[in-house]
Amino acid sequence: MSCFNRWSAIFLIFSVIFSSLSAREINVPADFSTIQAAIDDANNGDIVVVSPGRYYENINFNGKAITVRSSEPDKPDIVANTIIDANGIGSVIKFVSGEDADSILDGFTVTGGYAMGPGHSAFNGAGIYCLNSGPVIKNCIIKDNKAGDAGGGMYNENSSPTLLNCIFRNNTSYSGNGINSYK
């Protein structure tokens, strides 16, 4: 092995180690009072861990390759009590900046979305709105959201999200109460 190849291999090993060490865990509400503030502060690879409670807000991943999860996403009682509630204002969660499988939402109740405003996107995807994205959404309950046009629970436009162990309940819209996809 030449000297150049050895140094390249060593650099690669240190890069992998450093990137795994640099990932942070950001806690809501301990570190930030809102989920969106934690997302805004996060860097790719970070994990935002949200304690049980009702968080009245709309969140946007803003293209970040991060995990946003409840404290114990595999426990139904934690998921039921870790609630992101849009309180009747717009989509609860947006993936609209090219997010891919490295953008993960895990273990929440998503509720209170109301997509009834002016403009195409404002009438679609009251619970979750995906545009040109492919995030992973797992262990979530998407319920009691209302869209004026399509996708009361979730709307996908030119998107390929991965859904794992999610429940859609009591969402309403003109087209696709649970999920509506458009290419």
Side-chain angles (χ1 to χ4, degrees):
M1 182 182 273
S2 73
C3 183
F4 177 75
N5 287 340
R6 282 187 194 133
W7 284 111
S8 296
I10 291 169
F11 177 75
L12 179 62
I13 290 168
F14 279 114
S15 295
V16 169
I17 291 170
F18 179 73
S19 67
S20 66
L21 293 177
S22 64
R24 297 180 299 153
E25 183 174 290
I26 303 167
N27 293 286
V28 176
D31 299 325
F32 291 92
S33 62
T34 67
I35 300 167
Q36 188 62 55
I39 290 170
D40 293 344
D41 188 69
N43 297 311
N44 289 340
D46 287 350
I47 301 170
V48 175
V49 180
V50 181
S51 294
R54 185 176 289 266
Y55 299 87
Y56 290 100
E57 60 183 302
N58 310 81
I59 68 170
N60 187 327
F61 269 61
N62 293 317
K64 294 186 178 184
I66 60 174
T67 296
V68 178
R69 69 172 179 83
S70 66
S71 60
E72 297 182 72
D74 294 324
K75 291 191 173 182
D77 59 324
I78 298 295
V79 173
N81 289 298
T82 310
I83 304 162
I84 306 172
D85 187 338
N87 203 27
I89 302 171
S91 299
V92 183
I93 299 165
K94 287 187 177 183
F95 296 98
V96 295
S97 301
E99 292 86 356
D100 61 17
D102 292 325
S103 299
I104 301 167
L105 180 73
D106 189 5
F108 292 93
T109 295
V110 177
T111 192
Y114 190 73
M116 302 293 264
H120 174 69
S121 66
F123 280 102
N124 297 309
I128 300 171
Y129 183 83
C130 288
L131 176 65
N132 302 319
S133 297
V136 173
I137 301 162
K138 57 185 182 174
N139 302 314
C140 288
I141 300 167
I142 298 99
K143 68 175 194 168
D144 301 325
N145 299 288
K146 184 176 184 178
D149 189 16
M154 181 176 196
Y155 180 78
N156 304 307
E157 185 172 335
N158 298 318
S159 295
S160 299
T162 299
L163 299 171
L164 303 167
N165 195 34
C166 292
I167 297 169
F168 288 80
R169 182 182 311 137
N170 199 35
N171 299 290
T172 59
S173 71
Y174 178 75
S175 173
N177 291 335
I179 302 173
N180 187 294
S181 295
Y182 176 78
K183 286 251 179 207

